[in-house]
Amino acid sequence: MTTVAAYAAPAAKAPLERTTIERRPVGATDVRIDITFAGICHSDIHQAEEGWGESIFPMVPGHEIAGVVAEVGSGVTRYRVGDRVGVGCFVDSCRACEYCDQGLEQYCVEGMTVTYNGLDRRGEPTHGGYSTGIVVDERYVLRIPDSLPLDAAAPLLCAGITSYSPLRRAEVGPGSKVAVLGLGGLGHMGVKLAHAMGAEVTVLSQSLRKRDDGLRMGADHYYATSDPATFENLAGTFDVILSTVSVALDFDRYLALLKPGGVLANVGAPDDPVSLNLFSLMTGGRSLVGSMIGGIPETQEMLDFCAEHGIGAEIEVIRAEEVNEAWKRVVASDVRYRFVIDTATI
Ligand code: NAP
Ligand code: ZN
């Protein structure tokens, strides 16, 4: 066992505080990682506040993990001590079902083992990246390309892949008109990635406050959803809308912005259900699809794509003791565009 420093929520809605946790001994196919940076995802907050249902406490959140390999098990073949690596939203799965076989471990029939707020295959609670070290089977570890700084790469492990996967599935490329709804952690990655894929990109944000940033990141157009004219002017415009909004929305209003045959890909995970008028889908043969993170092969593909296109997250690196304040700012949509904890400060 290795003892590592961590930040944990002791109970639902309680502020995070410094603690220590034990990591399992390094098994034959395990990699022990010295974590250097951990991104703050809005999902950390939903779970610590039990917005999605009952959670496991104490909770060490964090599924945007970047660091360096410190030790490898005797059977590890893919990684060596010193390699730059990442860990995302899951650390295990059944490894035998048709989805695991296809590299869609996030849809494992037995359920993926989530990086934190879950139980591992032995029934022990999992703890995430707001800590100084983690032990993960090499099958669930990603390689961070040398050209990507570790701090800006950490958010790619969730925000990056969650935006990348539905854009790929919708076959976004040159000629595609893509709208990204919500310019936060996921949304800003969606803008950068869709732009790099060659699409014409529009940001739909609550206000024009972040317009200059959005255009600098690669958006071609930027509109405020607080302005009713946005909905009149953009009716029937987009092939794909990527919704990254963390609260329940009136999806009918947004489906009307799709072209016939268009797809609204939702990745936002609000605490509350949404209601829908099915005529919004039938009219124009439009689709509403969901997407959850991405499998290991596609996550590696996304990291390599980001390296090739020079894409990292826009980050604000914080000290661990600033985490509670940072969470408040995420909830207030006051993040530009991802907080990343420098884990050396834990
Ligand atoms: P975030 O940084 O807080 O971004 C969410 C954005 O939603 C905000 O920046 C804001 O954009 C917009 N928004 C917030 N409140 C709003 C409101 N009342 N009305 C309209 N828009 C609002 O969060 P994130 O980390 O990107 O995560 C976004 C959501 O995706 C969360 O629910 C998270 O749990 C979920 N998620 C899902 C997956 C998955 O696999 N599907 C993975 C990771 C995260 P503007 O300020 O531009 O309006
Ligand atoms: Zn996340």
Side-chain angles (χ1 to χ4, degrees), residues 40-44 47 52 63-64 89 116 155 157-159 162 186 293 338:
I40 293 178
C41 178
H42 205 123
S43 303
D44 302 344
Q47 292 176 84
W52 296 344
H63 55 211
E64 295 186 335
C89 296
Y116 69 87
L157 277 304
C158 175
T162 302
L186 269 53
I293 43 174
R338 202 59 147 178

Side-chain angles (χ1 to χ4, degrees), residues 107-304:
Y107 303 133
C108 171
V109 291
E110 286 185 12
M112 59 180 161
T113 299
V114 289
T115 303
Y116 69 87
N117 191 28
L119 298 176
D120 67 18
R121 267 37 214 174
R122 299 163 307 158
E124 300 290 330
T126 55
H127 289 300
Y130 295 13
S131 63
T132 54
I134 192 168
V135 176
V136 181
D137 188 288
E138 67 167 339
R139 189 187 188 290
Y140 300 88
V141 175
L142 287 307
R143 185 174 296 282
I144 296 180
D146 285 340
S147 64
L148 294 176
L150 288 178
D151 52 1
L156 301 178
L157 277 304
C158 175
I161 182 59
T162 302
S163 309
Y164 182 88
S165 184
L167 293 173
R168 278 289 188 229
R169 183 168 149 203
E171 298 181 349
V172 164
S176 307
K177 289 193 175 190
V178 174
V180 175
L181 188 49
L183 193 67
L186 269 53
H188 93 288
M189 290 310 311
V191 170
K192 290 184 176 207
L193 291 165
H195 174 70
M197 290 172 190
E200 183 179 332
V201 182
T202 299
V203 175
L204 301 174
S205 180
Q206 293 168 92
S207 72
L208 297 180
R209 212 162 37 98
K210 297 179 275 193
R211 183 171 177 277
D212 291 347
D213 292 344
L215 298 179
R216 180 174 44 78
M217 289 170 199
D220 302 283
H221 318 281
Y222 200 107
Y223 299 99
T225 54
S226 53
D227 181 356
T230 295
F231 293 89
E232 286 159 34
N233 297 338
L234 298 178
T237 299
F238 302 109
D239 298 293
V240 177
I241 299 175
L242 177 69
S243 176
T244 71
V245 173
S246 51
V247 299
L249 287 180
D250 178 357
F251 273 130
D252 295 311
R253 288 186 92 196
Y254 293 94
L255 286 164
L257 305 185
L258 290 172
K259 287 182 190 171
V263 177
L264 195 166
N266 179 70
V267 292
D271 298 346
D272 301 310
V274 296
S275 72
L276 190 67
N277 183 335
L278 292 172
F279 278 90
S280 301
L281 297 176
M282 291 186 284
T283 317
R286 300 176 170 105
S287 308
L288 171 62
V289 302
S291 186
M292 184 171 271
I293 43 174
I296 294 294
E298 194 175 40
T299 305
Q300 189 62 58
E301 177 189 307
M302 176 276 310
L303 287 166
D304 297 342

Side-chain angles (χ1 to χ4, degrees), residues 45-94:
I45 304 166
H46 287 295
Q47 292 176 84
E49 297 188 341
E50 295 198 315
W52 296 344
E54 209 175 305
S55 294
I56 301 168
F57 295 97
M59 179 192 296
V60 178
H63 55 211
E64 295 186 335
I65 300 171
V68 178
V69 174
E71 186 182 348
V72 295
S74 56
V76 167
T77 58
R78 298 185 206 175
Y79 297 101
R80 290 199 289 196
V81 171
D83 283 355
R84 304 162 84 251
V85 293
V87 177
C89 296
F90 56 90
V91 288
D92 207 350
S93 62
C94 83

